[in-house]
Amino acid sequence: MGVIKKKTATRGTEGGVKYVCDVCSGDITSTVRIRCADPTCNEYDLCVPCFSSGSSSKEHVPATHSYTVVEQHSIPIYDEDWGADEELLLLEGAESYGLGSWADIADHIGGYRNKDEVRDHYIKTYIESSKFPLPERASPEDRSLLDSVSREDFQVRKKRRIETRKEAAKNAPPAAPKQKPTASVPACHEVQGYMPGRMEFETEHFNDAEEAVQHMQFDPGDGLNPRTGEVEPEMELKMTVMDIYNSRLTARVDRKKVIFTHDLLSYRRNTSYEKSRTKDERDLLTKIKPYARLMNKADYDAFAKGLLDEHNLRLAISQLQDWRNKRVTDLRAGEKYEREKKERLARAQPQGTLDRLATAARTAKVGPGVEAASEAARLTAVDLPDRFKPTPAAPAKNAKANAVNGKILTNGHANGALVPLAGRQKYSFTPPANTLPLEMNNENATDLHLLSRDEQTLCSTLRIFPKPYLVIKEVLMREALKQGGNLKKKVAKEIAKIAPQKGAMIFDFFVHSGWIGKA
């Protein structure tokens, strides 16, 4: 046999189909060869010296067998950079390995052709041709390329291209050793039953959906009654079954899309991430998982984060309310209270002191849990004020930046820049005539902790409890916002609905604090 279909071990090398003489075994790929045309000799090739000397082997008889002279078809016919021999090898490789196996087809062509080059040439020459499936220059009379590029010039360019790529391949760094590819079987992924090569699962959603249509047939001419021209009931039934099958396929694709979009196949990473959360947080995330089908990953993550923040804030508020009932006034005292509470529970003994089983069970229940501290615990930690402390604003470059016509703007801002409070004088609280300040504490004044120290002094001076003061404050702020941040003292006293002297003092305090502007 005179042809050897040799696949090279490394991609992108010279490779290709090699022709050897069946007598001397010499390489005759790039030269003229003589092929026996007798039916008894299948692909029998000879080099010119062996043919001229009458040499033969196997069943070949030079005296009686006819022959054909096969020249080197290294001339451009469809593309100026591709010869006729390469075009034939391209089509032969596509037939042998199938379209899409461009790496195997490139090895079949040889000449240091790579898979991208072969794919692009096939698409450009055959697919994008106006004479599809034939190339543009498919006509035998079209000799435009043969006239513009001579055989000698094409051979020189081809030889130069092969030598250049061969030298580049020789000087290229050694390729990394190939790793064993992941087999597309259910056991080759961290999610049991997932086949990564096919992006499918061993058991799909509606896994038996294909059984309803596997024996269904549609023959040409079926479905219409030739006499009435109406659709036959059997065809209507088939179309109904097909609609049900398509709806199940759509549901299957939608569920797989949720899995891929939300990266649920990274099972180990997601599991380790969930272990860092508390049991309540995990239960909350489990309840909202159905909403993942309605959102993309970014929206769902933001939605989950918002619910977790609300959950942790509720826990922190409940903790703070419990501390208030226990007369705990600050975060450091609350931390000390919780630590001592755990110690008391750990020291507590069960009813039967001599019962070792009861003692062990009680100790196991009151011992410290293994769950990591939640975000709610950080909201009641001692360093909470430091984490939420605002960064000081940069000082203004000139004094005009902090005032407009010599007046400070509302809410302590001027032209969008925070007004420095260091140089501001402290507000002097002057009690009304014949009025003594009211002593307030957490026992007799609810919500006192919601006020600043200056506000507590103001309420004590005016003998106003915190809750009514907060209502007055909210009403004045809302009215000031409606009027662009400024408010008249007369209007403020009318809105406050308290003694005019007390309303005026509250208005002056707000103006001094920079919360509202004086109209």
Side-chain angles (χ1 to χ4, degrees), residues 125-140:
T125 305
Y126 297 94
I127 303 299
E128 297 179 354
S129 172
S130 60
K131 300 178 182 179
F132 176 82
L134 299 178
E136 292 286 349
R137 298 183 175 92
S139 175

Side-chain angles (χ1 to χ4, degrees), residues 16 87 205 271 291 360 491 493 506:
E87 298 287 355
H205 182 67
T271 303
Y291 292 100
V491 177
K493 291 190 290 184
I506 293 176

Side-chain angles (χ1 to χ4, degrees), residues 6 53 55 263 279 289 297 326 345 403 476:
K6 177 183 177 183
S53 63
S55 302
D263 197 18
K279 183 179 181 302
K289 281 183 178 179
K297 182 173 175 56
K326 301 295 191 302
L345 293 175
L476 293 180

Side-chain angles (χ1 to χ4, degrees), residues 156-447:
V156 171
R157 289 193 307 181
K158 180 179 179 181
K159 184 177 180 181
R160 186 186 305 116
R161 171 176 57 82
I162 293 176
E163 291 178 351
T164 302
R165 296 188 179 184
K166 185 176 182 180
E167 189 68 22
K170 185 185 299 183
N171 298 330
K178 290 186 177 181
Q179 297 181 355
K180 185 179 180 180
T182 302
S184 184
V185 295
C188 287
H189 196 269
E190 55 186 290
V191 176
Q192 185 68 24
Y194 177 65
M195 295 174 281
R198 298 165 56 182
M199 299 183 71
E200 295 179 353
F201 293 88
E202 186 179 18
T203 303
E204 294 279 358
H205 182 67
F206 284 123
N207 197 52
D208 300 332
E210 285 75 13
E211 293 184 358
V213 297
Q214 62 180 346
H215 300 301
M216 190 178 296
Q217 295 181 356
F218 291 89
D219 296 327
D222 288 351
L224 291 177
N225 192 319
R227 290 179 298 177
T228 62
E230 298 179 353
V231 180
E232 295 181 352
E234 182 181 358
M235 180 57 66
E236 292 181 354
L237 178 61
K238 287 183 178 180
M239 297 307 298
T240 302
V241 174
M242 289 301 300
D243 290 340
I244 296 174
Y245 173 65
N246 290 330
S247 64
R248 292 180 175 180
L249 291 184
T250 302
R252 181 185 299 175
V253 172
D254 291 342
R255 279 160 175 76
K256 290 170 67 173
K257 182 180 178 181
V258 172
I259 294 175
F260 297 143
T261 302
H262 294 270
D263 197 18
L264 300 181
L265 293 175
S266 302
Y267 178 75
R268 294 190 182 93
R269 185 180 64 183
N270 295 336
T271 303
S272 61
Y273 186 62
E274 289 183 358
K275 287 182 179 179
S276 62
R277 299 189 178 277
T278 62
K279 183 179 181 302
D280 293 338
E281 292 175 342
R282 291 196 296 269
D283 294 341
L284 178 61
L285 292 177
T286 302
K287 291 179 181 179
I288 66 173
K289 281 183 178 179
Y291 292 100
R293 296 175 56 186
L294 309 176
M295 305 179 183
N296 56 34
K297 182 173 175 56
D299 293 343
Y300 177 76
D301 291 342
F303 174 65
K305 184 178 182 302
L307 291 180
L308 289 176
D309 291 343
E310 179 190 6
H311 171 74
N312 293 324
L313 284 173
R314 289 180 181 275
L315 292 180
I317 292 173
S318 177
Q319 180 71 68
L320 294 174
Q321 290 175 344
D322 180 60
W323 288 354
R324 184 198 295 178
N325 295 333
K326 301 295 191 302
R327 302 296 187 267
V328 177
T329 56
D330 55 23
L331 295 176
R332 191 171 300 278
E335 183 182 34
K336 181 180 178 182
Y337 166 76
E338 291 295 329
R339 185 172 58 252
E340 293 178 351
K341 179 180 178 181
K342 290 182 179 179
E343 293 177 356
R344 288 194 302 271
L345 293 175
R347 290 195 302 266
Q349 294 294 332
Q351 292 289 339
T353 308
L354 300 179
D355 190 353
R356 289 180 296 175
L357 296 178
T359 304
R362 182 61 178 258
T363 306
K365 289 182 180 180
V366 301
V370 296
E371 286 188 333
S374 64
E375 187 65 24
R378 298 183 68 248
L379 295 175
T380 58
V382 178
D383 61 342
L384 180 68
D386 297 332
R387 295 203 309 269
F388 290 92
K389 186 180 296 184
T391 56
K397 295 183 179 179
N398 49 60
K400 293 183 179 180
N402 293 332
V404 177
N405 297 330
K407 295 183 180 180
I408 298 177
L409 297 183
T410 60
N411 296 331
H413 288 73
N415 290 339
L418 186 64
V419 176
L421 302 178
R424 182 177 298 174
Q425 296 180 355
K426 188 174 182 180
Y427 184 79
S428 59
F429 298 95
T430 303
N434 301 325
T435 303
L436 296 177
L438 178 65
E439 294 293 335
M440 294 185 182
N441 51 49
N442 291 327
E443 296 181 358
N444 61 7
T446 309
D447 295 337

Side-chain angles (χ1 to χ4, degrees), residues 66-86:
S66 58
Y67 62 89
T68 57
V69 179
V70 181
E71 298 184 8
Q72 186 71 14
H73 300 301
S74 188
I75 53 175
I77 54 174
Y78 301 147
D79 191 289
E80 61 180 9
D81 292 330
W82 282 70
D85 53 345
E86 292 178 313

